[in-house]
Amino acid sequence: MSALPDNAPSVAAGDADPQETQEWQDALQGVIDQEGPERAHFLIQGLIAQARQEGIDIPYSATTEYVNTIPVDQQPKYPGNADMEIRIHNYIRWNSMAMVVRANRHSNVGGHIASFASAAALYDVGFSWFWHAPSETHGGDLIFFQGHSVPGVYARAHLLGRLTDEQMDSFRQEVDGKGVSSYPHPWLMPGFWQFPTVSMGLGPIQAIYQARFMKYLDSRGFIEAGDRKVWAFLGDGETDEVESLGAIGMAARERLDNLIFVINCNLQRLDGPVRGNGKIIQELEGTFRGAGWNVIKLIWGTNWDALFLRDKKGVLKRRMMEIVDGEYQTFKAKDGAYVREHFFNTPELKELVADWTDEQVWALNRGGHDIFKIYSAYKAAVEHKGQPTLVLAKTIKGYGMGQAGEGMNISHQQKKLDFEAIKRFRDRFSLPVADEQLYELPYLKFAEGSAELSYMRQRRMDLGGYLPKRRGTAAPLEIPDLAVFDALLKASGEGREVSTTMAIVRLLNILLKDRKVGRHVVPIVPDESRTFGMEGLFRQVGIWNQEGQKYVPEDHDQLMFYKESKDGQVLQEGINEAGAMSDWIAAATSYSVHGVQMIPFYICYSMFGLQRTMDLCWAAADQRARGFLIGGTAGRTTLNGEGLQHEDGHSLVLSSLIPNCLSYDPTFSFEIAVIMREGLRRMYQEQEDIFYYITVMNENYEHPEMPAGVEADILKGMYLLRRGQSSDTRPVTPRVQLLGSGTIFREVIAAAELLKNDWGIDADLWGCPSFTELARDGLDVQRWNMLNPLAKPRVSHVESCLGDTRGPIIAATDYVRMFAEQIRPFLNRRYVTLGTDGFGRSDTREKLRHFFEVDRRWVTVAALKALADEGTIEREKVAHAIARYGIDVNKPNPTTV
């Protein structure tokens, strides 16, 4: 056996023939030297495939060495003036720090320094060389900025003259209308920010679905996507949020090569290390590569290149793999002498830096701070085809903050720096601030006409203009008249029972066939199309798949077979509510992102809509989404046969919390037609930044014709369906006002018959499709009256409806009492609400409505009790009614069982 050369890999334990092993390794090295690494990779892959065919167990390894993916000899030449760019970057660093520290000297509004300090170079290279603004020649790239890094984005905009000193000084101080928002908030800065991202995990999943929707629009001929990219910046700690990684498999499956994730791996969460005992970069590489992504590791900066060349034995790479992240964090919280002692801790490692000073050792930089390495990684990412790309960039949290927070657990909370820390920051980045100016923290600017300012502007002009920037309108759509939905305005016909779900589907079909808006409709369903009776859309418009349908579906011989196509309209998400909601957001913001108005209908299943995705619903509101959210199989008692985690009794309360969401609980087809036509007009003609949440049920019943002249009242939330049979000129006749929505309005209507036939009491019937809109109107009127005490008081809609009526008011819905309770402040007489408070459970609708005490008999008893409390009827009538209807007075309260 021959002696092994000095640079031979260590002999593996149990190696029966080290000489043969060495011969194989020498052969591989020969291929690399003579034919290149690509050929060597091809041969190894072929050997692995052959071994597996022979039954040899070779497990897949999704991780590579702890070094940069792109070696030095494959780095492209940097295209710009690096010295000038670094000087510009240093100004941006200073101004972002100054903005946060200045804002906190006279307030406690907070702010973050450390996150942008770690990511500054990652953003700067993107702004200078990669990120296109919308222009005549390019549709524009989409950038999801990490929320905690926005001070740096503001600092860049300020240098370019897009933000004033006053705006910078009003960071996080927005009430007076001068400030800039704490994080990316399109609602607060509608001309600047595109995407809200600081609710961690929502940026990544939204970026994935924006990239997918870009492919959808391209497939269907609305846009030419070209080389447009979606860039999502997130932190390594953020990847612990389930939404961050939950859809990465879909991104690879859909071959979203227009998607680039950049994970800023500064190894720290908000309180401490992300993986103190592990290696987050290796973990994320394995996760993403295993999911089918192209992964580019950007770990070490240029100053390490010389050491890698010196290392002929691979000891440096082995040491890098040994060290856990908690140690890497500690290294950067210390100094060069500490790194020399604890990193270069063997004779072989010490020899590598024997002729280096501690300052040189300390200057060994990480790849995420090196513009040359970043440019190489980004260039490779944008040129990669067929897969989404992940860039794993290793950085230092609080980079440049020194003892005030660099690499320290406290760095995320730092918002104030003392004089010495500011002085060290200035010196480290060679900034032109005199000692006597340090306390003032002046904003640094480049003079008009200076080389630096001209350079900054030219880089952006070459890429189409300034970013971030948001458009607020697109070409309006021509919305059909209400008459187009005439079939929904008329009675369904005797014996013809339909559900409000089917009314929505019918309306959707009418829209899809409309020549002006039909192709703009985007139906979105999370694997429940057949539940909602929407399977007819499969054949009618198809399910979108950019690869078409490569198989013959099992049901191909049936009328409504499962059809996927490249130009399909339906987005069918599987069992994935967060994905469906992200799809909806992408379509609902298409007017802004792509300049094309799309009309999304996301039909969710019961409480698996708003309850499961409320954070995304709030993000949709922030970014001024427009579209329809449809709560299918809604109501706590309509979805019989399901149970506690299905039956929805509170989504309308959740929707009421979103200021620009208009929510309705219609009972009849004509209500749906009126509400949705008005929504189309407001969102797609007037281009109001609102969206709609509409609940529909799967209970079939006959629908009446729309009463004359109630359209405006329906939209306001309350209309008169029918007056009681007796004349109001006979005040001796007891009378009540009965209110209802959804399917329970039908129980209310039936209660009116019981009251009349069994007890001789008249009832006026009021449909209340939106207690939420009634409450908003009432609060607005109440506020106006408070602020205008000398003017004639205004009257809310609910007051104007009930003002000339008499008798107590009873409201019943299929939702918790809080829903109907919203209007209590605007009623000046007895008001009783019935609702479905408590846990849902399986049973028939009839039994569920009795259990929750919202059926016709409970409504009748509630009305009689209210009349008795007012002294209009004797209390004995209430007791008789309870006995007559078989109500058990010892029945437990449904909220307790």
Side-chain angles (χ1 to χ4, degrees):
M1 183 178 72
S2 62
L4 298 179
D6 290 341
N7 63 345
S10 301
V11 175
D15 189 344
D17 193 341
Q19 181 174 350
E20 182 183 31
T21 301
Q22 184 61 42
E23 289 170 357
W24 277 93
Q25 291 170 342
D26 289 344
L28 176 63
Q29 189 63 50
V31 172
I32 295 171
D33 294 341
Q34 298 297 319
E35 301 185 61
E38 291 81 7
R39 177 61 178 167
H41 182 270
F42 175 81
L43 291 174
I44 291 171
Q45 288 291 100
L47 289 171
I48 291 173
Q50 182 180 349
R52 285 176 174 153
Q53 289 176 0
E54 296 296 331
I56 299 173
D57 181 21
I58 302 179
Y60 165 71
S61 176
T63 59
T64 58
E65 290 187 294
Y66 201 67
V67 295
N68 294 346
T69 301
I70 303 172
V72 177
D73 59 359
Q74 293 182 27
Q75 279 184 213
K77 182 180 179 181
Y78 196 77
N81 184 331
D83 291 336
M84 182 176 290
E85 288 187 28
I86 290 171
R87 187 158 59 252
I88 292 169
H89 301 172
N90 291 345
Y91 271 50
I92 294 171
R93 286 180 183 277
W94 172 270
N95 286 350
S96 66
M97 177 273 293
M99 179 181 72
V100 175
V101 175
R102 285 169 65 137
N104 282 285
R105 280 182 172 168
H106 306 294
S107 74
N108 62 346
V109 294
H112 299 278
I113 303 171
S115 291
F116 177 71
S118 68
L122 296 171
Y123 287 116
D124 289 332
V125 173
F127 274 119
S128 294
W129 298 105
F130 292 95
W131 299 339
H132 295 82
S135 66
E136 292 182 359
T137 59
H138 197 283
D141 295 317
L142 314 184
I143 318 299
F144 285 76
F145 295 94
Q146 189 184 16
H148 290 127
S149 296
V150 301
V153 181
Y154 291 141
R156 169 176 280 273
H158 175 256
L159 271 180
L160 289 167
R162 300 182 65 201
L163 296 177
T164 64
D165 287 3
E166 184 180 33
Q167 286 175 296
M168 295 282 281
D169 278 341
S170 299
F171 173 57
R172 290 189 165 195
Q173 299 166 64
E174 303 164 274
V175 171
D176 293 332
K178 302 174 185 176
V180 290
S181 62
S182 54
Y183 302 117
H185 292 302
W187 187 261
L188 301 173
M189 297 179 69
F192 194 86
W193 293 118
Q194 278 190 297
F195 310 109
T197 54
V198 82
S199 188
M200 292 191 181
L202 299 194
I205 192 171
Q206 287 185 79
I208 289 172
Y209 282 88
Q210 283 284 0
R212 182 171 181 256
F213 196 71
M214 190 185 293
K215 298 272 189 182
Y216 172 91
L217 290 178
D218 184 85
S219 295
R220 297 194 54 222
F222 283 101
I223 66 170
E224 291 185 11
D227 62 351
R228 295 176 70 189
K229 301 291 183 183
V230 179
W231 295 70
F233 282 79
L234 55 156
D236 46 2
E238 186 177 357
T239 62
D240 286 341
E241 288 282 5
V242 293
E243 293 92 346
S244 295
L245 307 184
I248 63 173
M250 187 277 284
R253 184 172 66 249
E254 298 276 350
R255 299 184 294 110
L256 299 181
D257 52 10
N258 59 339
L259 176 66
I260 299 169
F261 271 23
V262 180
I263 300 184
N264 175 18
C265 297
N266 56 36
L267 314 185
Q268 287 184 238
R269 293 178 180 147
L270 308 187
D271 290 334
V274 178
R275 296 290 185 274
N277 293 325
K279 300 172 87 67
I280 188 62
I281 289 177
Q282 297 300 99
E283 179 183 321
L284 291 173
E285 178 190 21
T287 299
F288 278 82
R289 199 184 298 279
W293 286 53
N294 172 47
V295 178
I296 298 173
K297 292 163 83 171
L298 171 61
I299 301 179
W300 307 115
T302 301
N303 294 348
W304 286 92
D305 292 345
L307 286 187
F308 282 120
L309 285 174
R310 287 186 177 191
D311 180 19
K312 305 301 182 183
K313 300 180 180 179
V315 294
L316 189 58
K317 292 180 181 178
R318 285 201 296 274
R319 179 61 176 150
M320 288 171 168
M321 190 67 85
E322 292 170 357
I323 299 172
V324 296
D325 284 353
E327 291 180 284
Y328 276 121
Q329 180 186 344
T330 301
F331 290 148
K332 283 306 179 182
K334 302 297 183 180
D335 55 26
Y338 184 91
V339 174
R340 181 191 297 276
E341 178 182 356
H342 292 88
F343 181 89
F344 299 96
N345 64 345
T346 68
E348 293 171 308
L349 288 166
K350 290 181 185 299
E351 183 182 349
L352 290 176
V353 292
D355 57 343
W356 284 32
T357 65
D358 286 348
E359 288 72 23
Q360 287 176 300
V361 171
W362 182 243
L364 288 168
N365 57 337
R366 293 183 178 176
H369 300 301
D370 188 312
I371 64 172
F372 306 105
K373 303 293 186 182
I374 296 169
Y375 180 84
S376 299
Y378 283 7
K379 187 172 187 294
V382 298
E383 293 174 353
H384 188 78
K385 302 297 181 185
Q387 293 172 290
T389 292
L390 167 66
V391 176
L392 290 166
K394 189 173 186 179
T395 65
I396 304 164
K397 192 156 190 174
Y399 182 70
M401 292 171 63
Q403 293 305 305
E406 185 165 346
M408 298 180 182
N409 287 336
I410 62 169
S411 60
H412 189 79
Q413 280 70 33
Q414 289 294 84
K415 57 185 178 182
K416 298 179 181 180
L417 299 181
D418 61 26
F419 182 85
E420 289 302 318
I422 293 169
K423 186 177 180 181
R424 288 191 294 269
F425 192 102
R426 175 203 64 182
D427 295 342
R428 182 163 183 173
F429 296 110
S430 304
L431 294 159
V433 183
D435 286 351
E436 58 271 18
Q437 294 179 298
L438 285 176
Y439 183 78
E440 300 173 15
L441 279 171
Y443 294 124
L444 297 178
K445 298 180 181 179
F446 296 116
E448 195 64 41
S450 66
E452 293 87 352
L453 186 56
S454 298
Y455 187 93
M456 286 184 74
R457 287 177 174 165
Q458 189 59 52
R459 291 307 321 126
R460 287 311 314 157
M461 294 308 105
D462 288 347
L463 290 168
Y466 293 137
L467 285 176
K469 184 172 63 175
R470 178 185 177 278
R471 72 164 65 85
T473 60
L477 298 180
E478 187 175 334
I479 302 304
D481 293 332
L482 182 60
V484 171
F485 309 111
D486 188 57
L488 298 175
L489 304 177
K490 295 180 179 179
S492 60
E494 185 176 352
R496 187 168 186 270
E497 297 186 340
V498 295
S499 66
T500 46
T501 298
M502 292 315 299
I504 281 279
V505 173
R506 192 171 185 182
L507 183 143
L508 191 55
N509 275 286
I510 293 170
L511 281 179
L512 285 166
K513 294 173 182 175
D514 186 89
R515 293 184 179 181
K516 299 292 178 61
V517 302
R519 64 190 300 262
H520 293 262
V521 174
V522 184
I524 303 168
V525 191
D527 205 35
E528 291 282 4
S529 296
R530 301 182 194 279
T531 303
F532 302 134
M534 297 177 63
E535 64 269 31
L537 296 181
F538 295 165
R539 182 171 181 179
Q540 181 183 340
V541 295
I543 300 165
W544 178 76
N545 189 313
Q546 62 178 317
E547 295 186 15
Q549 193 164 38
K550 298 179 178 179
Y551 61 94
V552 176
E554 171 273 329
D555 54 358
H556 68 280
D557 57 347
Q558 298 180 22
L559 180 62
M560 292 180 284
F561 62 87
Y562 196 82
K563 175 188 173 185
E564 299 184 69
S565 68
K566 294 181 180 180
D567 59 353
Q569 266 180 266
V570 178
L571 289 174
Q572 220 277 11
E573 281 311 314
I575 305 171
N576 180 5
E577 286 83 9
M581 188 64 200
S582 297
D583 256 339
W584 184 86
I585 291 173
T589 58
S590 179
Y591 74 94
S592 174
V593 174
H594 305 289
V596 178
Q597 294 209 81
M598 304 302 286
I599 309 174
F601 289 80
Y602 165 29
I603 298 89
C604 65
Y605 185 85
S606 192
M607 69 167 67
F608 301 148
L610 267 67
Q611 175 173 296
R612 183 161 283 188
T613 62
M614 192 61 181
D615 205 0
L616 283 164
C617 295
W618 192 257
D622 192 347
Q623 59 197 297
R624 299 169 176 261
R626 303 171 187 167
F628 295 99
L629 297 174
I630 308 299
T633 56
R636 182 144 286 161
T637 69
T638 301
L639 187 59
N640 59 340
E642 293 292 352
L644 187 149
Q645 286 189 273
H646 285 71
E647 293 169 344
D648 166 32
H650 50 270
S651 67
L652 286 162
V653 175
L654 295 177
S655 66
S656 73
L657 305 177
I658 304 173
N660 55 339
C661 174
L662 282 68
S663 50
Y664 290 87
D665 184 33
T667 307
F668 301 120
S669 299
F670 64 79
E671 296 175 45
I672 290 173
V674 169
I675 292 164
M676 299 198 73
R677 199 277 164 184
E678 177 67 358
L680 291 167
R681 184 192 68 81
R682 292 182 65 178
M683 292 186 289
Y684 301 105
Q685 279 188 346
E686 302 302 321
Q687 301 201 53
E688 294 184 48
D689 293 332
I690 56 176
F691 64 94
Y692 283 70
Y693 177 65
I694 301 173
T695 55
V696 294
M697 295 78 174
N698 63 339
E699 183 174 357
N700 296 324
Y701 47 83
E702 292 182 18
H703 292 243
E705 184 172 351
M706 182 172 69
V710 299
E711 292 94 323
D713 285 350
I714 289 172
L715 297 172
K716 291 176 183 178
M718 182 175 182
Y719 69 96
L720 179 64
L721 178 70
R722 189 174 73 221
R723 288 211 179 272
Q725 295 176 11
S726 297
S727 170
D728 275 336
T729 60
R730 297 176 58 194
V732 294
T733 304
R735 198 178 196 89
V736 294
Q737 305 301 311
L738 298 185
L739 285 55
S741 69
T743 55
I744 298 303
F745 188 32
R746 296 184 64 249
E747 294 296 319
V748 171
I749 294 170
E753 298 300 318
L754 291 180
L755 285 166
K756 182 65 177 175
N757 297 333
D758 294 350
W759 311 102
I761 293 169
D762 283 335
D764 297 329
L765 289 167
W766 299 89
C768 294
S770 186
F771 285 97
T772 298
E773 289 306 301
L774 291 175
R776 288 174 175 173
D777 169 69
L779 290 170
D780 188 58
V781 167
Q782 195 176 68
R783 178 180 179 274
W784 191 92
N785 290 339
M786 180 182 70
L787 297 175
N788 296 273
L790 301 181
K792 180 182 178 180
R794 293 179 177 176
V795 178
S796 67
H797 181 64
V798 67
E799 290 172 296
S800 68
C801 288
L802 296 172
D804 293 332
T805 66
R806 59 185 175 83
I809 305 163
I810 316 298
T813 75
D814 214 8
Y815 289 84
V816 294
R817 284 183 173 86
M818 188 182 296
F819 178 50
E821 283 286 336
Q822 293 180 92
I823 66 170
R824 183 178 291 278
F826 321 113
L827 302 175
N828 58 5
R829 60 185 190 265
R830 188 173 303 277
Y831 181 50
V832 179
T833 59
L834 303 181
T836 54
D837 299 72
F839 285 121
R841 58 199 64 215
S842 299
D843 215 310
T844 64
R845 292 178 181 129
E846 293 75 19
K847 285 191 174 182
L848 288 172
R849 287 166 187 170
H850 172 68
F851 172 81
F852 283 109
E853 303 171 4
V854 293
D855 69 10
R856 60 196 66 183
R857 296 169 183 81
W858 285 92
V859 174
T860 301
V861 169
L864 292 172
K865 176 63 165 58
L867 286 167
D869 288 343
E870 290 188 344
T872 305
I873 64 172
E874 301 80 9
R875 291 186 179 276
E876 285 77 11
K877 276 194 176 182
V878 184
H880 291 160
I882 292 172
R884 180 170 183 170
Y885 299 137
I887 294 176
D888 180 3
V889 296
N890 295 314
K891 174 183 175 295
N893 187 325
T895 62
T896 65
V897 291

